[in-house]
């Protein structure tokens, strides 16, 4: 059976680390509030010369190196971002040109914090249908450019970065096939005013700033994530106890704890990077995945669940064997 097998991961962060204390010099906040309410201690903020596409390219190059492949063998690039370099062309084409795999399919996906999961779902469908053979799926963001730096309720929560994976279409059968086993995606536009950007080409003509009703988003996130994770488990016939690692979207340590608790999953199985990266939207899942693969926690054969929820609302989960 044809499956999308993960053969390499990579990530990239801006040069500049910004700890909570530095933000407390600019807005009315403090390290204690941020750390206690969110688990965040640090984030990375892009300088002017660091863009979504430059971070995405750096992450992609590392994933390609880890996979031990030539960039020219990639025939599909899916870049999930809510902060593209320009309104158009797709930032995926800028990455494509930098990598030198011109001519292949390349496009962006807009599903905000769930963008990487949407990217995985779309790439997996295309690989299994034969539309492509080797995919680069990237989540990359420069949310610092759309933050209202006078709004303490949001500006302390986000950071910039990129993560990438290479997926290869391979024939995998047997009892424990490698690759993506199931993906479930959802969206509900009834809630799009709880987390949005107040600008855009077709409305204000400006880029706008992020606005969020955090408490409401939090409430929906825990419920939606637990539901979609159970849907994926039902589709695969596996049990929550079979999962070796949960790699969640890194929005808030309290959401990670609450979701794990709701599923009856021990906290030691949850990969946490929100303390160092803050919320990097579409980049957060591949950044966390790469961190745990690079440091040796996630090993070949492990069963890994990815999940995310954010603006739209859009949410999803994907189960894969490494
Ligand atoms: O990635 C997309 C998905 N996004 C999320 O999942 C975010 C989900 N939401 C959250 O993570 C949390 O709701 C937040 C971290 C955003 C906020 O935590 P909270 O416990 O829900 O706090 P709150 O918004 O209810 O605010 C509590 C208090 C308020 O003061 P009063 O009204 O109680 O006097 C805020 O003004 O905390 C105040 N506050 C702050 N204080 C110091 C808000 N932001 C700050 C701040 N520093 N940065």
């Amino acid at each position: 059976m044809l499956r999308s097998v993960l053969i390499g991961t990579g990530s990239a962060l801006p040069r500049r680390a910004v700890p909570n204390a530095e933000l407390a010099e600019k807005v009315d906040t403090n390290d204690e509030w941020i750390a206690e309410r969110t688990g965040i201690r640090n984030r990375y903020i892009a300088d002017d010369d660091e863009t979504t596409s430059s971070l995405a390219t750096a992450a992609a190059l590392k994933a390609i190196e880890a996979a031990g492949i030539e960039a020219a063998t990639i025939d599909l690039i899916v870049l999930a971002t809510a902060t593209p370099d320009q309104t158009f062309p797709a930032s995926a084409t800028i990455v494509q040109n930098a990598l030198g795999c011109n001519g292949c399919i390349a496009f962006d996906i807009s599903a905000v914090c769930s963008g990487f999961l949407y990217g995985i779902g779309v790439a997996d469908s295309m690989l299994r249908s034969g539309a492509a053979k080797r995919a680069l799926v990237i989540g990359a963001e420069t949310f610092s450019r759309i933050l209202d730096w006078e709004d303490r309720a949001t500006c302390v929560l986000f950071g910039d970065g990129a993560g990438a994976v290479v997926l290869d279409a391979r024939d995998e059968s047997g009892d424990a096939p490698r690759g993506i086993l199931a993906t479930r995606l959802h969206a509900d536009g009834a809630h799009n005013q709880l987390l949005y950007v107040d600008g855009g080409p077709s409305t204000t003509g400006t880029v706008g700033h992020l606005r969020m009703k955090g408490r409401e988003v939090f409430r929906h996130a825990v419920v939606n994530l637990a539901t979609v994770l159970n849907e994926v488990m039902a589709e695969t016939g596996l049990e929550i106890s079979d999962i070796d690692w949960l790699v969640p979207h890194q929005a808030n340590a309290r959401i990670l704890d609450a979701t794990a608790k709701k599923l009856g999953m021990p906290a030691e199985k949850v990969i946490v990077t929100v303390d160092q990266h803050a919320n990097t939207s579409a980049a957060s899942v591949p950044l966390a995945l790469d961190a745990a693969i690079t440091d040796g926690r996630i090993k070949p054969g492990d069963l890994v669940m990815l999940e995310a929820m954010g603006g739209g609302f859009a949410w999803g989960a994907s189960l894969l064997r490494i």
Side-chain angles (χ1 to χ4, degrees):
M1 185 178 179
L2 209 53
R3 289 195 189 273
S4 308
V5 176
L6 187 143
I7 61 166
T9 63
S11 60
L13 292 161
R15 287 182 293 271
R16 194 156 64 91
V18 179
N20 291 346
E22 195 176 322
L23 292 184
E25 291 167 11
K26 293 182 188 137
V27 284
D28 181 15
T29 189
N30 54 75
D31 175 47
E32 199 185 0
W33 189 95
I34 302 171
E36 241 172 50
R37 298 283 180 133
T38 70
I40 298 167
R41 297 188 177 276
N42 183 68
R43 77 281 296 136
Y44 291 82
I45 301 292
D47 285 333
D48 289 349
D49 64 334
E50 293 171 310
T51 60
T52 290
S53 72
S54 74
L55 294 168
T57 303
L61 284 169
K62 288 190 190 143
I64 287 166
E65 191 188 340
I69 58 157
E70 295 294 323
T73 62
I74 290 164
D75 55 5
L76 169 63
I77 301 176
V78 183
L79 171 55
T81 187
T83 48
D85 288 18
Q86 295 151 255
T87 303
F88 76 80
S91 295
T93 63
I94 302 170
V95 174
Q96 179 197 49
N97 194 41
L99 296 178
C101 40
N102 305 57
C104 76
I105 307 166
F107 58 91
D108 290 358
I109 279 195
S110 172
V112 208
C113 298
S114 302
F116 183 74
L117 267 298
Y118 269 67
I120 288 284
V122 169
D124 180 40
S125 299
M126 292 181 75
L127 291 179
R128 283 186 295 110
S129 76
K133 288 193 166 60
R134 183 167 279 171
L136 182 62
V137 184
I138 312 168
E141 303 278 17
T142 43
F143 257 48
S144 60
R145 307 265 157 79
I146 55 165
L147 294 175
D148 175 350
W149 286 100
E150 292 184 355
D151 176 15
R152 69 174 183 175
T154 54
C155 75
V156 302
L157 304 175
F158 295 90
D160 302 331
V165 301
V166 179
L167 298 175
D168 212 26
R170 292 188 180 176
D171 194 18
E172 284 286 324
S173 31
D175 289 347
R178 291 180 71 201
I180 296 170
L181 305 179
T183 302
R184 282 296 180 114
L185 303 170
H186 294 282
D188 183 355
H191 302 294
N192 64 26
Q193 292 305 305
L194 296 179
L195 175 50
Y196 68 102
V197 166
D198 61 2
S202 172
T203 50
T204 60
T206 64
V207 172
H209 292 111
L210 180 146
R211 307 292 173 205
M212 176 166 74
K213 292 200 169 45
R215 195 165 275 198
E216 302 268 341
V217 177
F218 190 115
R219 199 165 50 82
H220 285 277
V222 177
V223 175
N224 289 345
L225 288 171
T227 307
V228 75
L229 289 172
N230 281 318
E231 284 173 16
V232 170
M233 297 320 293
E235 191 175 325
T236 56
L238 293 162
E239 303 291 332
I240 293 283
S241 56
D242 294 326
I243 298 174
D244 295 298
W245 298 101
L246 179 65
V247 183
H249 171 49
Q250 310 281 321
N252 184 322
R254 289 187 293 138
I255 297 181
L256 307 191
D257 292 345
T259 309
K261 210 169 175 184
K262 215 166 180 310
L263 293 167
M265 186 177 268
E268 307 83 69
K269 288 187 172 186
V270 182
I271 304 295
V272 180
T273 52
V274 67
D275 54 333
Q276 287 308 309
H277 300 161
N279 182 346
T280 57
S281 181
S284 91
V285 170
L287 267 167
L289 180 64
D290 182 55
I293 287 180
T294 305
D295 71 20
R297 273 177 293 171
I298 297 181
K299 298 183 182 64
D302 281 356
L303 204 54
V304 176
M305 179 72 93
L306 314 177
E307 51 94 324
M309 143 95 194
F313 291 153
W315 65 101
S318 184
L319 186 69
L320 71 155
R321 191 173 282 106
I322 302 294

